[in-house]
Amino acid sequence: MITRSKAPLRISFAGGGTDVPPYPSEHGGAVLSATINKYAYVSAILRPDRTVGVQSLDYDLVAHYRLDEKITYDGELDLVKAAIRSMDLTHGLDLFIHNDAPPGSGLGSSSAVTVALVAAIKRALGQQMTDYELAQMAYKVERQELGIKGGLQDQYAAAFGGFNFIEFGADDVVVNPLRIRPEIVRELEYHLLLCYTGKVRASEKIVETQTAAYVKRDSLVVDALHQLKLLAVEMKNALLKGRLMDFGAMLNEGWQAKKGLATQITDPSLDSLYDAAIEAGAVGGKLLGAGGGGYFLLFVPFHRRHLIAAGLERMGGQVVPVVFEPNGVLCWDADNYLDTGSSSEGPDTALSDTLVLRNLPGRVV
């Protein structure tokens, strides 16, 4: 039996940083985000033994781990190791992993992989989880077991999908799905561009700097986080009411506030890209994720869209459109659609050539 999952990546419009402890436990955090048509994929096949075989289709890595042996973290396939350790597996599995975006892109790719991993493993084992339970388990794997610094938003975005206003408290997370009119979503897509900067960033260091400054009660950081939370509320209201030009302008407000969280969030080359977009007519934008690289999200007037995109690409940026994904993580059984022979083949067999199939019928975990 081949079980597959795909979890969407996300763009965060406002509130990023207010989901990073300890801020949400002391003040309550809020993030406005939406998932897009880029995904993390996982395929899982039960094995008859107590071995977990892993193949990363992006990096051509293959590894095997025995469930009755100690698994150590060494920087290679650590997310998978953390999932194995956190989920107390009793059966061996073969796992195949693929991601549409690299780590450090600012699109929540690592969390999407974790959500897809948990979903595929749980389904392969015949276990069901709610979206909240899935997001919480993914948070445990990534943040608690593996110790990757960061917030809570990405796991919930990948699990739930669509447009969400997510609130973070001391002991709880509440996901509020937004009912946005389809024509507003289409118009927003038409006004947004993603520009890959060519840089990946070490988000952990940025998050550590931000958190340390907050704990020391640095007034600039505290005030910036308060402003980002307020903007998340205001941008949610603007989006629901279709005030898209106001929404675009508030992206710029959020970017200016975000730059106050840590000095590593931007640099002269990143500022040059953003300034060029603004000078060419962009209304606003921001670096996605923790900052330091990855993707810029830009809100542009429709009649300047092609000119802004061409200018950014001349500067070395890679521009792609934004297409929103309404679904969260999906799981399905692939055997009915494939003729693969024995399902006991491992990651170093020809079975891996058939693994990534998109647009198959899916159903929510």
Side-chain angles (χ1 to χ4, degrees):
M1 174 72 72
I2 302 175
T3 299
R4 266 191 246 288
S5 66
K6 75 171 186 178
L9 279 57
R10 63 96 188 100
I11 53 178
S12 177
F13 298 114
T18 70
D19 61 319
V20 178
Y23 184 90
S25 64
E26 297 177 358
H27 299 284
V31 168
L32 176 65
S33 68
T35 46
I36 60 174
N37 68 337
K38 294 182 182 292
Y39 308 93
Y41 298 87
V42 172
S43 296
I45 306 170
L46 285 177
R47 294 174 61 119
D49 56 19
R50 290 180 52 79
T51 298
V52 176
V54 185
Q55 181 172 348
S56 169
L57 304 180
D58 301 308
Y59 300 104
D60 197 25
L61 294 175
V62 177
H64 294 82
Y65 308 104
R66 291 282 303 168
L67 293 179
D68 51 4
E69 296 176 353
K70 182 178 180 181
I71 299 174
T72 58
Y73 301 129
D74 58 6
E76 190 170 281
L77 300 173
D78 282 349
L79 275 177
V80 181
K81 297 174 190 174
I84 295 170
R85 290 182 56 167
S86 298
M87 298 175 71
D88 298 322
L89 298 182
T90 57
H91 291 80
L93 292 158
D94 283 334
L95 300 170
F96 305 78
I97 303 168
H98 166 62
N99 201 330
D100 284 342
S105 63
L107 299 176
S109 59
S110 295
S111 296
V113 168
T114 311
V115 168
L117 263 174
V118 174
I121 292 172
K122 286 291 186 179
R123 183 176 175 112
L125 296 176
Q127 301 170 6
Q128 294 184 337
M129 304 182 79
T130 67
D131 291 335
Y132 279 103
E133 291 170 340
L134 178 56
Q136 290 160 4
M137 174 58 75
Y139 178 84
K140 176 184 176 183
V141 169
E142 191 175 2
R143 304 285 185 239
Q144 297 177 351
E145 171 61 34
L146 192 52
I148 297 176
K149 304 296 182 183
L152 298 97
Q153 66 162 309
D154 293 350
Q155 297 84 5
Y156 287 86
F160 282 82
F163 285 81
N164 294 295
F165 181 74
I166 310 175
E167 299 173 281
F168 308 93
D171 302 306
D172 199 16
V173 178
V174 176
V175 179
N176 303 282
L178 301 182
R179 296 181 62 184
I180 303 170
R181 296 200 310 272
E183 59 268 28
I184 294 176
V185 174
R186 290 193 292 268
E187 190 67 12
L188 182 62
E189 284 181 340
Y190 195 56
H191 280 81
L192 291 177
L193 289 175
L194 282 171
C195 177
Y196 185 58
T197 64
K199 295 183 175 183
V200 295
R201 80 286 187 275
S203 60
E204 282 191 85
K205 294 181 179 179
I206 297 175
V207 172
E208 287 176 356
T209 299
Q210 169 194 314
T211 303
Y214 172 77
V215 170
K216 292 178 181 177
R217 297 300 186 262
D218 183 311
S219 60
L220 291 177
V221 171
V222 174
D223 290 346
L225 288 169
H226 290 340
Q227 184 180 357
L228 289 167
K229 182 172 68 173
L230 179 61
L231 278 169
V233 176
E234 293 177 348
M235 291 179 72
K236 175 203 67 172
N237 294 338
L239 191 57
L240 288 169
K241 295 178 180 179
R243 294 188 286 107
L244 295 186
M245 293 303 291
D246 291 341
F247 183 90
M250 283 188 279
L251 276 176
N252 181 64
E253 290 182 45
W255 173 234
Q256 302 309 320
K258 180 175 179 174
K259 289 191 290 186
L261 296 178
T263 57
Q264 308 102 307
I265 285 176
T266 190
D267 61 34
S269 65
L270 296 172
D271 288 338
S272 293
L273 269 177
Y274 184 76
D275 292 344
I278 296 296
E279 290 172 7
V283 177
K286 56 168 288 192
L287 267 180
L288 296 172
Y295 281 88
F296 266 115
L297 176 70
L298 297 165
F299 187 98
V300 301
F302 74 93
H303 63 287
R304 304 288 299 176
R305 178 187 178 95
H306 62 296
L307 299 174
I308 294 170
L312 291 171
E313 290 188 341
R314 283 195 298 270
M315 297 178 67
Q318 301 173 35
V319 178
V320 295
V322 172
V323 179
F324 293 111
E325 165 59 68
N327 295 305
V329 63
L330 298 174
C331 275
W332 65 94
D333 298 324
D335 293 64
N336 292 336
Y337 309 101
L338 298 174
D339 180 14
T340 61
S342 172
S343 63
S344 64
E345 297 181 74
D348 46 2
T349 73
L351 180 61
S352 62
D353 295 336
T354 69
L355 279 174
V356 183
L357 294 186
R358 306 180 191 189
N359 303 318
L360 290 179
R363 107 181 141 79
V364 176
V365 177

